[in-house]
Amino acid sequence: MDMRGYQHYREESLETMTQGELLLLVYDELLKRLKLAGLELEREHYQTFEGAVDRAVNIIHYLSDTLDRKYPISSNLYRLYEYFCYELSRVKAGRNRVELERVISMTSELRDSFRQADRNVTAG
């Protein structure tokens, strides 16, 4: 199968996305990794669980690194991202399902807030 057409389509799609859409895409990937971690923890596949947590932490670091510090909310988001990383280190060390669910819930709420903000900006 020729993947060049698909690859071209994917690249073009990313290039035409708004910043809000790209941010939501990153949050979707973060939530996907966190939920995968929960599933793998439940299955007791600890190596895959740890890999999913590590990938989630990398995504959070990316979100933190790309914050625009000229806005006051950036410092609050930075602290929240630090908290997520701290909690995920505890989740990974203790294989703590309860804390993982809490991080998933908070991340999901944050993603929904960004989605609503993007809708508001788009609507004008």
Side-chain angles (χ1 to χ4, degrees):
M1 177 164 62
D2 185 11
M3 295 298 290
R4 286 176 283 172
Y6 173 73
Q7 184 66 25
H8 178 69
Y9 168 77
R10 229 175 100 195
E11 289 171 8
E12 201 169 284
S13 294
L14 287 173
E15 290 171 2
T16 59
M17 289 179 131
T18 66
Q19 286 184 336
E21 290 170 331
L22 288 170
L23 179 62
L24 292 175
L25 194 64
V26 173
Y27 268 96
D28 286 343
E29 184 64 23
L30 173 58
L31 283 167
K32 180 176 122 182
R33 295 301 174 155
L34 291 172
K35 289 176 182 180
L36 174 63
L39 289 171
E40 295 302 327
L41 179 59
E42 195 173 288
R43 293 179 185 148
E44 297 182 1
H45 295 158
Y46 299 122
Q47 187 173 3
T48 310
F49 157 75
E50 290 176 3
V53 171
D54 289 342
R55 182 67 179 123
V57 168
N58 289 340
I59 293 169
I60 294 168
H61 285 156
Y62 171 80
L63 288 167
S64 181
D65 291 345
T66 58
L67 286 172
D68 189 344
R69 303 296 177 148
K70 70 181 178 184
Y71 298 105
I73 195 164
S74 294
S75 62
N76 293 336
L77 285 170
Y78 180 79
R79 286 194 302 273
L80 187 59
Y81 293 152
E82 280 186 327
Y83 171 76
F84 287 161
C85 288
Y86 171 75
E87 286 299 309
L88 288 174
S89 70
R90 292 181 59 217
V91 163
K92 185 177 169 185
R95 297 179 178 157
N96 189 329
R97 176 81 177 166
V98 174
E99 292 300 317
L100 177 59
E101 288 300 323
R102 194 166 67 157
V103 172
I104 290 171
S105 175
M106 293 173 70
T107 304
S108 182
E109 288 177 24
L110 189 56
R111 187 221 182 269
D112 291 344
S113 296
F114 280 119
R115 180 178 39 203
Q116 187 59 45
D118 187 50
R119 285 182 185 160
N120 292 344
V121 167
T122 304

